[in-house]
Amino acid sequence: MSRASQALRPEAVNSPAEEGLRRKWIDAFHAVRQETERRAAPLSPEDQIIQSMADASPTKWHRAHTTWFLEQFVLQPHVAGYEVFDDRFAFLFNSYYVAAGPRHARPKRGLIARPSNDEVAAFRAHVDAAIERLLETAAPDVLEKIVPILEIGLHHEQQHQELILTDILHAFSQNPTDPAYDPAWRMPRGSARRDFVPLPAGVHFIGHKGEGFRFDNEEPAHRELIEPVKIARSLVTNGEWLEFMKDGGYSTASLWLSDAWAAAQAETWNAPAYWEDRNGQWFSFTLGGSQPVDLAAPVCHVSYYEADAFARWAGKHLPTESEWEVAARSNLLDDAYGIVWQWTRSAYLPYAGYRAPDGAIGEYNGKFMINQMVLRGSSLATPEGHARVTYRNFFYPPHRWQFTGLRLAEYGV
Ligand SMILES: [Fe+2]
């Protein structure tokens, strides 16, 4: 008997509960994999190869990298005799896992004309079939081992689904012919409530405990002190941002942190990313192409540096991630999810007692806990079912190409 057939038991008769579990994971797997393809579908092979800056990746790379992740961390360790689709792909599609071997330089991902889109589709089909067979036939003890890592693989792929949209938006923004990913796309409007609401001051548990998926960076749950503070019910709007601009926000050094001012000067920022002044009317480049800025919609594509300067101009501050989480748990926030990620003033640091997991998966979050800021909530590009109240997104303070906005907070109640 081969090692493969010892690990797999196609002949086994499974209990209804076990069958249900297998079906649940097969369905979840299909749903996530299909969503990636749904997002890539409007994009031509030429669209899918473009890399417009080092921080962004080509759509084709996202589709292949998420597939490599499953091959590397689910199939290879758990399916004896598994044959990799192409042994050159690990080098091309490993992102940053040093423990998983050498990898191609990130800024050069847009130079990889081959494998073609069709070959990447075949890679995806190969891995899909192997995962499906593994889920259908793995012995219960193997299933127990693979489900947690498969689950990380699915949430990982959802993160890349968001990046497919943010990265193609940046790429299309470089094109003078104004291409639209989806001509019908419009920036959603948020809540119109402009009030600030007090948080329950005192000691609160922050972070994930109990059941349900979470990334390692959401644990352990731990206590944080919330001082008397009020938080904005709603997101800052384009109209409010325009007031900041008209009041000289971008040219008043005293509003800006030192690094922020240096970045704003070097990059000649005078408005959010993708904004363009056309004869006195502001337009924004969006997934629907160039559109007039809707003053009632939440501001989007601002960096931490800009968000912090805006908060100082407004005489307020960005909430800490603990303040955000307590407010969200207390149902005080409108549009906490689904429009823009919200910058917090919290540096992306390990929670008290955090330890990165052993092995390559330990590289997923822990090694990035330096020089980045936490964002909370989720955005219009975040896939259904991905975000939660303890979710910690993180980006570098000058980054603007994600769907990032802000809400304000104010000390003293
Ligand atoms: Fe990744």
Side-chain angles (χ1 to χ4, degrees):
M1 185 183 264
S2 72
R3 286 174 60 214
S5 54
Q6 282 168 358
L8 308 175
R9 352 166 279 163
E11 76 288 355
V13 178
N14 300 316
S15 71
E18 193 185 313
E19 273 310 310
L21 187 70
R22 290 176 196 275
R23 183 42 49 196
K24 176 191 138 180
W25 285 107
I26 291 168
D27 290 349
F29 177 72
H30 282 157
V32 170
R33 298 288 279 171
Q34 282 166 7
E35 177 62 13
T36 303
E37 293 303 300
R38 194 186 68 78
R39 290 184 182 216
L43 301 171
S44 69
E46 293 86 351
D47 294 335
Q48 292 200 32
I49 196 176
I50 196 168
Q51 180 180 31
S52 52
M53 63 169 168
D55 291 322
S57 298
T59 305
K60 185 176 72 174
W61 185 90
H62 287 300
R63 292 171 60 220
H65 161 72
T66 48
T67 307
W68 165 82
F69 189 98
L70 296 166
E71 188 171 68
Q72 175 73 27
F73 296 120
V74 181
L75 293 172
Q76 291 207 69
H78 298 109
V79 179
Y82 172 76
E83 287 191 20
V84 298
F85 180 77
D86 185 320
D87 56 18
R88 298 169 300 179
F89 283 12
F91 184 83
L92 288 178
F93 300 125
N94 176 1
S95 51
Y96 54 67
Y97 298 89
V98 176
R103 69 219 69 84
H104 190 53
R106 179 180 181 140
K108 294 185 174 180
R109 289 173 185 165
L111 303 179
I112 307 304
R114 298 178 186 189
S116 68
N117 249 18
D118 286 349
E119 286 168 306
V120 167
F123 179 35
R124 288 181 66 87
H126 174 88
V127 166
D128 286 354
I131 294 273
E132 217 171 289
R133 179 166 161 76
L134 180 62
L135 288 172
E136 278 168 359
T137 60
D141 59 321
V142 177
L143 197 63
E144 211 171 288
K145 275 191 206 137
I146 60 170
V147 158
I149 182 68
L150 177 73
E151 196 170 21
I152 293 174
L154 298 185
H155 286 263
H156 168 253
E157 184 144 348
Q158 289 184 315
Q159 292 180 318
H160 281 275
Q161 288 165 0
E162 177 146 4
L163 294 174
I164 285 174
L165 296 187
T166 58
D167 294 0
I168 202 66
L169 176 65
H170 189 268
F172 280 180
S173 77
Q174 312 298 308
N175 187 327
T177 67
D178 197 18
Y181 170 83
D182 170 10
W185 190 94
R186 294 291 177 276
M187 184 70 190
R189 285 191 172 181
S191 159
R193 297 201 285 184
R194 307 320 300 165
D195 56 324
F196 282 65
V197 283
L199 262 63
V203 174
H204 293 261
F205 269 99
I206 300 299
H208 196 281
K209 57 182 168 186
E211 296 300 302
F213 180 80
R214 67 284 194 179
F215 283 112
D216 58 65
N217 61 7
E218 298 165 52
E219 293 181 308
H222 61 285
R223 279 161 290 197
E224 295 273 359
L225 175 63
I226 300 296
E227 295 287 356
V229 62
K230 290 185 286 187
I231 193 163
R233 182 91 69 182
S234 304
L235 303 167
V236 168
T237 64
N238 287 322
E240 291 164 332
W241 199 269
L242 206 53
E243 291 304 312
F244 167 69
M245 288 162 57
K246 285 182 182 160
D247 200 35
Y250 278 95
S251 54
T252 307
S254 58
L255 295 174
W256 295 70
L257 295 167
S258 176
D259 286 356
W261 183 247
Q265 297 306 296
E267 303 293 326
T268 63
W269 290 340
N270 65 354
Y274 303 134
W275 281 34
E276 185 193 358
D277 185 352
R278 291 192 194 166
N279 302 320
Q281 157 118 48
W282 285 101
F283 280 72
S284 178
F285 187 76
T286 73
L287 290 170
S290 188
Q291 296 179 355
V293 168
D294 177 359
L295 296 183
V299 69
C300 189
H301 302 300
V302 292
S303 62
Y304 175 81
Y305 286 153
E306 291 163 286
D308 173 81
F310 178 93
R312 193 163 295 105
W313 170 79
K316 307 215 169 15
H317 71 274
L318 298 176
T320 65
E321 63 170 321
S322 300
E323 289 165 0
W324 191 98
E325 187 171 321
V326 168
R329 286 187 192 280
S330 308
N331 291 320
L332 300 178
L333 305 182
D334 291 348
D335 306 316
Y337 304 97
I339 301 183
V340 288
W341 290 99
Q342 295 129 66
W343 287 108
T344 74
R345 70 190 315 193
S346 297
Y348 180 48
L349 293 172
Y351 285 163
Y354 171 81
R355 277 184 73 97
D358 291 335
I361 283 295
E363 296 185 51
Y364 199 108
N365 285 307
K367 72 180 186 180
F368 298 109
M369 292 174 173
I370 181 72
N371 294 339
Q372 307 205 52
M373 302 303 286
V374 173
L375 301 106
R376 289 304 198 100
S378 68
S379 87
L380 53 89
T382 311
E384 194 69 32
H386 182 68
R388 60 198 152 265
V389 73
T390 55
Y391 195 100
R392 306 175 79 199
N393 200 355
F394 50 93
F395 280 96
Y396 290 98
H399 280 164
R400 312 209 291 171
W401 93 109
Q402 296 299 305
F403 293 97
T404 48
L406 67 154
R407 73 175 67 237
L408 298 173
E410 182 174 26
Y411 287 121
V413 176

mmCIF file of all heavy atoms in Angstrom, residues 224-262:
data_model
loop_
_atom_site.group_PDB
_atom_site.id
_atom_site.type_symbol
_atom_site.label_atom_id
_atom_site.label_comp_id
_atom_site.label_asym_id
_atom_site.label_seq_id
_atom_site.Cartn_x
_atom_site.Cartn_y
_atom_site.Cartn_z
ATOM 1 N N GLU A 224 -7.401 46.389 28.587
ATOM 2 C CA GLU A 224 -6.926 47.736 28.233
ATOM 3 C C GLU A 224 -7.797 48.748 28.970
ATOM 4 O O GLU A 224 -9.002 48.532 29.158
ATOM 5 C CB GLU A 224 -7.075 47.993 26.716
ATOM 6 C CG GLU A 224 -6.204 47.115 25.844
ATOM 7 C CD GLU A 224 -4.812 47.688 25.607
ATOM 8 O OE1 GLU A 224 -4.520 48.793 26.105
ATOM 9 O OE2 GLU A 224 -4.026 47.006 24.914
ATOM 10 N N LEU A 225 -7.189 49.860 29.345
ATOM 11 C CA LEU A 225 -7.932 50.927 30.023
ATOM 12 C C LEU A 225 -8.461 51.927 28.995
ATOM 13 O O LEU A 225 -7.692 52.454 28.186
ATOM 14 C CB LEU A 225 -7.016 51.655 31.007
ATOM 15 C CG LEU A 225 -7.623 52.885 31.698
ATOM 16 C CD1 LEU A 225 -8.825 52.499 32.568
ATOM 17 C CD2 LEU A 225 -6.574 53.625 32.520
ATOM 18 N N ILE A 226 -9.751 52.140 29.023
ATOM 19 C CA ILE A 226 -10.373 53.152 28.161
ATOM 20 C C ILE A 226 -10.665 54.385 29.023
ATOM 21 O O ILE A 226 -11.431 54.320 29.989
ATOM 22 C CB ILE A 226 -11.689 52.617 27.542
ATOM 23 C CG1 ILE A 226 -11.421 51.359 26.699
ATOM 24 C CG2 ILE A 226 -12.375 53.702 26.715
ATOM 25 C CD1 ILE A 226 -10.544 51.572 25.489
ATOM 26 N N GLU A 227 -10.032 55.493 28.667
ATOM 27 C CA GLU A 227 -10.262 56.758 29.383
ATOM 28 C C GLU A 227 -11.591 57.358 28.893
ATOM 29 O O GLU A 227 -12.110 56.952 27.854
ATOM 30 C CB GLU A 227 -9.104 57.718 29.076
ATOM 31 C CG GLU A 227 -7.757 57.269 29.589
ATOM 32 C CD GLU A 227 -7.627 57.392 31.108
ATOM 33 O OE1 GLU A 227 -8.552 57.894 31.766
ATOM 34 O OE2 GLU A 227 -6.573 56.968 31.626
ATOM 35 N N PRO A 228 -12.109 58.359 29.611
ATOM 36 C CA PRO A 228 -13.339 59.002 29.121
ATOM 37 C C PRO A 228 -13.104 59.600 27.730
ATOM 38 O O PRO A 228 -12.232 60.445 27.543
ATOM 39 C CB PRO A 228 -13.608 60.096 30.158
ATOM 40 C CG PRO A 228 -12.916 59.610 31.393
ATOM 41 C CD PRO A 228 -11.695 58.879 30.913
ATOM 42 N N VAL A 229 -13.866 59.152 26.779
ATOM 43 C CA VAL A 229 -13.639 59.556 25.379
ATOM 44 C C VAL A 229 -14.942 59.411 24.602
ATOM 45 O O VAL A 229 -15.767 58.541 24.908
ATOM 46 C CB VAL A 229 -12.506 58.696 24.752
ATOM 47 C CG1 VAL A 229 -12.857 57.224 24.723
ATOM 48 C CG2 VAL A 229 -12.097 59.196 23.375
ATOM 49 N N LYS A 230 -15.115 60.292 23.644
ATOM 50 C CA LYS A 230 -16.270 60.189 22.743
ATOM 51 C C LYS A 230 -15.752 59.825 21.349
ATOM 52 O O LYS A 230 -14.676 60.265 20.948
ATOM 53 C CB LYS A 230 -17.015 61.525 22.658
ATOM 54 C CG LYS A 230 -17.749 61.881 23.941
ATOM 55 C CD LYS A 230 -18.565 63.152 23.781
ATOM 56 C CE LYS A 230 -17.689 64.382 23.755
ATOM 57 N NZ LYS A 230 -18.450 65.638 23.770
ATOM 58 N N ILE A 231 -16.556 59.069 20.628
ATOM 59 C CA ILE A 231 -16.138 58.648 19.286
ATOM 60 C C ILE A 231 -17.205 59.044 18.275
ATOM 61 O O ILE A 231 -18.409 59.065 18.602
ATOM 62 C CB ILE A 231 -15.855 57.120 19.261
ATOM 63 C CG1 ILE A 231 -15.121 56.728 17.971
ATOM 64 C CG2 ILE A 231 -17.135 56.305 19.435
ATOM 65 C CD1 ILE A 231 -14.451 55.363 18.051
ATOM 66 N N ALA A 232 -16.755 59.404 17.091
ATOM 67 C CA ALA A 232 -17.706 59.809 16.047
ATOM 68 C C ALA A 232 -18.544 58.621 15.631
ATOM 69 O O ALA A 232 -18.025 57.536 15.369
ATOM 70 C CB ALA A 232 -16.957 60.378 14.847
ATOM 71 N N ARG A 233 -19.825 58.852 15.557
ATOM 72 C CA ARG A 233 -20.740 57.800 15.104
ATOM 73 C C ARG A 233 -20.392 57.406 13.663
ATOM 74 O O ARG A 233 -20.501 56.261 13.284
ATOM 75 C CB ARG A 233 -22.152 58.375 15.155
ATOM 76 C CG ARG A 233 -23.226 57.424 14.773
ATOM 77 C CD ARG A 233 -23.786 56.663 15.921
ATOM 78 N NE ARG A 233 -24.545 57.510 16.818
ATOM 79 C CZ ARG A 233 -25.100 57.025 17.932
ATOM 80 N NH1 ARG A 233 -24.977 55.752 18.248
ATOM 81 N NH2 ARG A 233 -25.780 57.821 18.724
ATOM 82 N N SER A 234 -19.962 58.400 12.875
ATOM 83 C CA SER A 234 -19.845 58.179 11.427
ATOM 84 C C SER A 234 -18.441 58.485 10.922
ATOM 85 O O SER A 234 -17.615 59.068 11.624
ATOM 86 C CB SER A 234 -20.842 59.079 10.683
ATOM 87 O OG SER A 234 -22.143 58.839 11.164
ATOM 88 N N LEU A 235 -18.240 58.106 9.699
ATOM 89 C CA LEU A 235 -16.945 58.304 9.038
ATOM 90 C C LEU A 235 -16.803 59.754 8.580
ATOM 91 O O LEU A 235 -17.801 60.422 8.279
ATOM 92 C CB LEU A 235 -16.855 57.379 7.817
ATOM 93 C CG LEU A 235 -17.043 55.887 8.123
ATOM 94 C CD1 LEU A 235 -17.268 55.097 6.826
ATOM 95 C CD2 LEU A 235 -15.828 55.351 8.865
ATOM 96 N N VAL A 236 -15.574 60.223 8.492
ATOM 97 C CA VAL A 236 -15.308 61.553 7.938
ATOM 98 C C VAL A 236 -15.654 61.538 6.442
ATOM 99 O O VAL A 236 -15.327 60.578 5.731
ATOM 100 C CB VAL A 236 -13.825 61.938 8.154
ATOM 101 C CG1 VAL A 236 -13.437 63.167 7.336
ATOM 102 C CG2 VAL A 236 -13.569 62.183 9.645
ATOM 103 N N THR A 237 -16.329 62.599 5.994
ATOM 104 C CA THR A 237 -16.812 62.640 4.601
ATOM 105 C C THR A 237 -15.864 63.438 3.691
ATOM 106 O O THR A 237 -15.021 64.203 4.165
ATOM 107 C CB THR A 237 -18.198 63.317 4.525
ATOM 108 O OG1 THR A 237 -18.041 64.680 4.938
ATOM 109 C CG2 THR A 237 -19.221 62.609 5.400
ATOM 110 N N ASN A 238 -16.089 63.288 2.406
ATOM 111 C CA ASN A 238 -15.346 64.084 1.425
ATOM 112 C C ASN A 238 -15.590 65.582 1.637
ATOM 113 O O ASN A 238 -14.681 66.394 1.457
ATOM 114 C CB ASN A 238 -15.779 63.712 0.002
ATOM 115 C CG ASN A 238 -15.241 62.356 -0.414
ATOM 116 O OD1 ASN A 238 -14.114 62.002 -0.084
ATOM 117 N ND2 ASN A 238 -16.055 61.593 -1.143
ATOM 118 N N GLY A 239 -16.813 65.927 2.004
ATOM 119 C CA GLY A 239 -17.142 67.333 2.237
ATOM 120 C C GLY A 239 -16.316 67.905 3.373
ATOM 121 O O GLY A 239 -15.795 69.029 3.287
ATOM 122 N N GLU A 240 -16.191 67.126 4.454
ATOM 123 C CA GLU A 240 -15.371 67.578 5.584
ATOM 124 C C GLU A 240 -13.899 67.660 5.182
ATOM 125 O O GLU A 240 -13.173 68.561 5.606
ATOM 126 C CB GLU A 240 -15.567 66.626 6.775
ATOM 127 C CG GLU A 240 -16.965 66.750 7.381
ATOM 128 C CD GLU A 240 -17.343 65.596 8.300
ATOM 129 O OE1 GLU A 240 -16.845 64.461 8.116
ATOM 130 O OE2 GLU A 240 -18.165 65.821 9.201
ATOM 131 N N TRP A 241 -13.475 66.704 4.366
ATOM 132 C CA TRP A 241 -12.074 66.721 3.908
ATOM 133 C C TRP A 241 -11.802 67.955 3.055
ATOM 134 O O TRP A 241 -10.732 68.571 3.137
ATOM 135 C CB TRP A 241 -11.749 65.435 3.136
ATOM 136 C CG TRP A 241 -10.272 65.204 3.070
ATOM 137 C CD1 TRP A 241 -9.429 65.638 2.085
ATOM 138 C CD2 TRP A 241 -9.456 64.553 4.041
ATOM 139 N NE1 TRP A 241 -8.142 65.275 2.387
ATOM 140 C CE2 TRP A 241 -8.127 64.608 3.590
ATOM 141 C CE3 TRP A 241 -9.723 63.915 5.259
ATOM 142 C CZ2 TRP A 241 -7.060 64.057 4.293
ATOM 143 C CZ3 TRP A 241 -8.659 63.360 5.967
ATOM 144 C CH2 TRP A 241 -7.351 63.438 5.486
ATOM 145 N N LEU A 242 -12.781 68.327 2.242
ATOM 146 C CA LEU A 242 -12.629 69.513 1.393
ATOM 147 C C LEU A 242 -12.480 70.771 2.251
ATOM 148 O O LEU A 242 -11.728 71.695 1.880
ATOM 149 C CB LEU A 242 -13.839 69.626 0.457
ATOM 150 C CG LEU A 242 -13.644 70.344 -0.860
ATOM 151 C CD1 LEU A 242 -12.465 69.804 -1.659
ATOM 152 C CD2 LEU A 242 -14.910 70.249 -1.703
ATOM 153 N N GLU A 243 -13.174 70.819 3.380
ATOM 154 C CA GLU A 243 -13.019 71.960 4.305
ATOM 155 C C GLU A 243 -11.576 72.044 4.803
ATOM 156 O O GLU A 243 -10.995 73.121 4.894
ATOM 157 C CB GLU A 243 -13.974 71.810 5.503
ATOM 158 C CG GLU A 243 -15.446 71.972 5.158
ATOM 159 C CD GLU A 243 -15.725 73.306 4.468
ATOM 160 O OE1 GLU A 243 -15.257 74.335 4.980
ATOM 161 O OE2 GLU A 243 -16.378 73.295 3.404
ATOM 162 N N PHE A 244 -11.031 70.895 5.144
ATOM 163 C CA PHE A 244 -9.619 70.818 5.575
ATOM 164 C C PHE A 244 -8.702 71.334 4.472
ATOM 165 O O PHE A 244 -7.772 72.123 4.715
ATOM 166 C CB PHE A 244 -9.321 69.354 5.923
ATOM 167 C CG PHE A 244 -7.878 68.981 6.092
ATOM 168 C CD1 PHE A 244 -7.135 69.436 7.169
ATOM 169 C CD2 PHE A 244 -7.256 68.115 5.183
ATOM 170 C CE1 PHE A 244 -5.805 69.058 7.347
ATOM 171 C CE2 PHE A 244 -5.935 67.736 5.343
ATOM 172 C CZ PHE A 244 -5.210 68.208 6.427
ATOM 173 N N MET A 245 -8.978 70.946 3.239
ATOM 174 C CA MET A 245 -8.158 71.385 2.106
ATOM 175 C C MET A 245 -8.280 72.897 1.903
ATOM 176 O O MET A 245 -7.285 73.605 1.727
ATOM 177 C CB MET A 245 -8.573 70.635 0.828
ATOM 178 C CG MET A 245 -8.153 69.166 0.841
ATOM 179 S SD MET A 245 -9.034 68.120 -0.363
ATOM 180 C CE MET A 245 -8.686 68.947 -1.890
ATOM 181 N N LYS A 246 -9.521 73.390 1.954
ATOM 182 C CA LYS A 246 -9.759 74.830 1.736
ATOM 183 C C LYS A 246 -9.123 75.660 2.837
ATOM 184 O O LYS A 246 -8.758 76.821 2.627
ATOM 185 C CB LYS A 246 -11.266 75.105 1.688
ATOM 186 C CG LYS A 246 -11.923 74.667 0.400
ATOM 187 C CD LYS A 246 -13.410 75.017 0.426
ATOM 188 C CE LYS A 246 -14.117 74.551 -0.832
ATOM 189 N NZ LYS A 246 -15.578 74.442 -0.620
ATOM 190 N N ASP A 247 -9.006 75.078 4.020
ATOM 191 C CA ASP A 247 -8.421 75.795 5.159
ATOM 192 C C ASP A 247 -6.890 75.691 5.164
ATOM 193 O O ASP A 247 -6.247 76.028 6.153
ATOM 194 C CB ASP A 247 -9.001 75.221 6.462
ATOM 195 C CG ASP A 247 -8.832 76.186 7.624
ATOM 196 O OD1 ASP A 247 -8.912 77.409 7.407
ATOM 197 O OD2 ASP A 247 -8.593 75.716 8.760
ATOM 198 N N GLY A 248 -6.325 75.188 4.077
ATOM 199 C CA GLY A 248 -4.865 75.096 3.967
ATOM 200 C C GLY A 248 -4.275 73.902 4.696
ATOM 201 O O GLY A 248 -3.094 73.908 5.056
ATOM 202 N N GLY A 249 -5.076 72.883 4.900
ATOM 203 C CA GLY A 249 -4.608 71.708 5.655
ATOM 204 C C GLY A 249 -3.331 71.102 5.105
ATOM 205 O O GLY A 249 -2.440 70.718 5.862
ATOM 206 N N TYR A 250 -3.241 71.040 3.786
ATOM 207 C CA TYR A 250 -2.073 70.396 3.173
ATOM 208 C C TYR A 250 -0.842 71.305 3.150
ATOM 209 O O TYR A 250 0.239 70.856 2.792
ATOM 210 C CB TYR A 250 -2.395 69.935 1.747
ATOM 211 C CG TYR A 250 -3.110 68.597 1.688
ATOM 212 C CD1 TYR A 250 -4.506 68.522 1.621
ATOM 213 C CD2 TYR A 250 -2.400 67.392 1.717
ATOM 214 C CE1 TYR A 250 -5.169 67.304 1.565
ATOM 215 C CE2 TYR A 250 -3.043 66.168 1.658
ATOM 216 C CZ TYR A 250 -4.432 66.132 1.587
ATOM 217 O OH TYR A 250 -5.063 64.913 1.533
ATOM 218 N N SER A 251 -1.021 72.585 3.484
ATOM 219 C CA SER A 251 0.138 73.487 3.448
ATOM 220 C C SER A 251 0.451 74.085 4.817
ATOM 221 O O SER A 251 1.200 75.047 4.903
ATOM 222 C CB SER A 251 -0.101 74.592 2.412
ATOM 223 O OG SER A 251 -1.326 75.245 2.689
ATOM 224 N N THR A 252 -0.113 73.519 5.875
ATOM 225 C CA THR A 252 0.135 74.027 7.229
ATOM 226 C C THR A 252 0.966 73.002 7.990
ATOM 227 O O THR A 252 0.446 72.006 8.504
ATOM 228 C CB THR A 252 -1.207 74.293 7.961
ATOM 229 O OG1 THR A 252 -2.014 75.143 7.144
ATOM 230 C CG2 THR A 252 -0.979 74.922 9.323
ATOM 231 N N ALA A 253 2.277 73.256 8.044
ATOM 232 C CA ALA A 253 3.207 72.265 8.599
ATOM 233 C C ALA A 253 2.872 71.896 10.043
ATOM 234 O O ALA A 253 3.074 70.748 10.460
ATOM 235 C CB ALA A 253 4.638 72.796 8.520
ATOM 236 N N SER A 254 2.313 72.857 10.807
ATOM 237 C CA SER A 254 2.063 72.608 12.231
ATOM 238 C C SER A 254 1.006 71.527 12.458
ATOM 239 O O SER A 254 0.872 71.011 13.561
ATOM 240 C CB SER A 254 1.649 73.907 12.924
ATOM 241 O OG SER A 254 0.495 74.445 12.297
ATOM 242 N N LEU A 255 0.247 71.192 11.427
ATOM 243 C CA LEU A 255 -0.771 70.142 11.580
ATOM 244 C C LEU A 255 -0.180 68.746 11.402
ATOM 245 O O LEU A 255 -0.850 67.757 11.681
ATOM 246 C CB LEU A 255 -1.887 70.333 10.542
ATOM 247 C CG LEU A 255 -2.732 71.603 10.677
ATOM 248 C CD1 LEU A 255 -3.686 71.725 9.488
ATOM 249 C CD2 LEU A 255 -3.517 71.589 11.990
ATOM 250 N N TRP A 256 1.046 68.674 10.910
ATOM 251 C CA TRP A 256 1.570 67.387 10.451
ATOM 252 C C TRP A 256 2.704 66.882 11.333
ATOM 253 O O TRP A 256 3.545 67.660 11.794
ATOM 254 C CB TRP A 256 2.099 67.518 9.015
ATOM 255 C CG TRP A 256 1.014 67.843 8.019
ATOM 256 C CD1 TRP A 256 0.329 69.025 7.914
ATOM 257 C CD2 TRP A 256 0.473 66.982 7.020
ATOM 258 N NE1 TRP A 256 -0.601 68.954 6.900
ATOM 259 C CE2 TRP A 256 -0.538 67.712 6.334
ATOM 260 C CE3 TRP A 256 0.735 65.667 6.628
ATOM 261 C CZ2 TRP A 256 -1.277 67.157 5.284
ATOM 262 C CZ3 TRP A 256 0.010 65.117 5.569
ATOM 263 C CH2 TRP A 256 -0.986 65.861 4.924
ATOM 264 N N LEU A 257 2.734 65.562 11.513
ATOM 265 C CA LEU A 257 3.896 64.929 12.128
ATOM 266 C C LEU A 257 5.101 65.150 11.208
ATOM 267 O O LEU A 257 4.928 65.327 9.994
ATOM 268 C CB LEU A 257 3.643 63.422 12.296
ATOM 269 C CG LEU A 257 2.511 63.059 13.257
ATOM 270 C CD1 LEU A 257 2.134 61.583 13.093
ATOM 271 C CD2 LEU A 257 2.914 63.358 14.694
ATOM 272 N N SER A 258 6.292 65.080 11.775
ATOM 273 C CA SER A 258 7.486 65.384 10.986
ATOM 274 C C SER A 258 7.622 64.462 9.773
ATOM 275 O O SER A 258 7.800 64.909 8.638
ATOM 276 C CB SER A 258 8.725 65.272 11.883
ATOM 277 O OG SER A 258 9.880 65.471 11.112
ATOM 278 N N ASP A 259 7.514 63.157 9.985
ATOM 279 C CA ASP A 259 7.614 62.217 8.858
ATOM 280 C C ASP A 259 6.483 62.448 7.856
ATOM 281 O O ASP A 259 6.650 62.269 6.647
ATOM 282 C CB ASP A 259 7.531 60.766 9.355
ATOM 283 C CG ASP A 259 8.815 60.313 10.047
ATOM 284 O OD1 ASP A 259 9.787 61.094 10.080
ATOM 285 O OD2 ASP A 259 8.830 59.173 10.559
ATOM 286 N N ALA A 260 5.313 62.805 8.400
ATOM 287 C CA ALA A 260 4.136 63.019 7.554
ATOM 288 C C ALA A 260 4.344 64.224 6.639
ATOM 289 O O ALA A 260 4.050 64.171 5.436
ATOM 290 C CB ALA A 260 2.905 63.229 8.437
ATOM 291 N N TRP A 261 4.855 65.290 7.230
ATOM 292 C CA TRP A 261 5.104 66.509 6.446
ATOM 293 C C TRP A 261 6.137 66.230 5.354
ATOM 294 O O TRP A 261 5.978 66.650 4.197
ATOM 295 C CB TRP A 261 5.576 67.624 7.383
ATOM 296 C CG TRP A 261 5.801 68.938 6.690
ATOM 297 C CD1 TRP A 261 6.991 69.575 6.503
ATOM 298 C CD2 TRP A 261 4.803 69.776 6.094
ATOM 299 N NE1 TRP A 261 6.815 70.756 5.829
ATOM 300 C CE2 TRP A 261 5.476 70.909 5.555
ATOM 301 C CE3 TRP A 261 3.420 69.681 5.942
ATOM 302 C CZ2 TRP A 261 4.805 71.934 4.893
ATOM 303 C CZ3 TRP A 261 2.746 70.715 5.281
ATOM 304 C CH2 TRP A 261 3.439 71.816 4.763
ATOM 305 N N ALA A 262 7.174 65.483 5.713
ATOM 306 C CA ALA A 262 8.207 65.139 4.728
ATOM 307 C C ALA A 262 7.591 64.333 3.576
ATOM 308 O O ALA A 262 7.882 64.582 2.402
ATOM 309 C CB ALA A 262 9.337 64.348 5.400
#
